[in-house]
Amino acid sequence: MSYDDLRGKVAVATKILTKERLIGPFGHPSARVPGTELVAILGHTRDHVSDLAATGADDVILVDLDGAVADDDLGEDRSAPGERFIHTEIYRARPDVNAVVHAHPMGCIAFSIAGRPILPIWNLCTQFADGVPVYESAVQIDTPELGRDLAAALGEHSAVLLKGHGAVVTGGSIQEATVSAVNLERSARLQLMVEGIGEPRVIPGSELNDESLTVGLSRREYVDAQWDYWATEVGRRS
Ligand SMILES: [Zn+2]
C-alpha cells in the first residue's frame, strides 16, 4: 500500500472514530508506514479545533519512531499530537502491530476506573478474551519514557485501558485497529447494560477459533465487512 493510500485510510479511520464518538478534540489513529520507521498519524490543529468528520489524507502527518515530525510539507496549522509516544513506543516494542488507535470512550474509561475486566460476552468482540490490562495512571503519555511504560503494560495483549483516561487498541492493519476499537467500546457499554440486570455470562473458549474470533467468523469477514460498511457510511456524510 502506498503512503498516500495509507494516509487516506487513516483519514477514514478518523471519520469512523469521530462518528462513533471515540475521538474528538483529543485522540488519534495511526498506522505504520510499511517498510519504514515512520508512522502516519492524525495531525492536530494547533488550537484543537477542526471538523474531524471532514478529515482528509492531508490531515494525516508523518512522525518517526522518536516522535519527531518527518513531514516535509507540514503546514503551520498542524502539529504532531502530544501523545504520539503511545504510538511510537508500541510500534517499537511490537513488530506485529501495524496500527494503533488511542481514544477516550466513556465505557472503556468506566472499566479502567472500576478495575473490573471487560469480558468476552459479545460475538463481535471476543478477540480480547486474553484480557485487557489497565495502565494504572491517568497522566498524558507525552514522553518516550511514558510511552515505553504503556507499551510494557500492553505487553502481548491487543488493547490496554488507561485508568481514568482512555483506551489503546492495536491491530495488524488500520482497518482492524479501528473496528476493534469501536467494538471494544461497544462491548464495554453492553457489559454495563448486562451488569444492570444480571451477571455477564462469557462466551466460552470452546466457541472461539485460534484467532479468538467466534467460530464461523473469519478475520477477513470480521474486519472487512465492518470497515467497508462504516467507511461507506462516513463517506456518504462527507
Ligand atoms: Zn489520551
Side-chain angles (χ1 to χ4, degrees), residues 133-150:
V134 178
Y135 178 69
E136 295 288 346
S137 169
V139 302
Q140 292 286 295
I141 310 299
D142 56 6
T143 68
E145 292 73 22
L146 288 166
R148 284 194 283 277
D149 286 349
L150 181 68

Side-chain angles (χ1 to χ4, degrees), residues 95-117:
D96 59 311
V97 168
N98 291 316
V100 174
V101 169
H102 174 45
H104 305 104
M106 289 296 127
C108 287
I109 294 173
F111 280 91
S112 79
I113 295 166
R116 294 182 57 180

Side-chain angles (χ1 to χ4, degrees), residues 6 22 36 62 64 91 138 145 162 237:
L6 194 64
L22 265 72
T36 74
L62 271 183
D64 64 23
Y91 290 124
E145 292 73 22
L162 292 74
R237 289 162 183 241

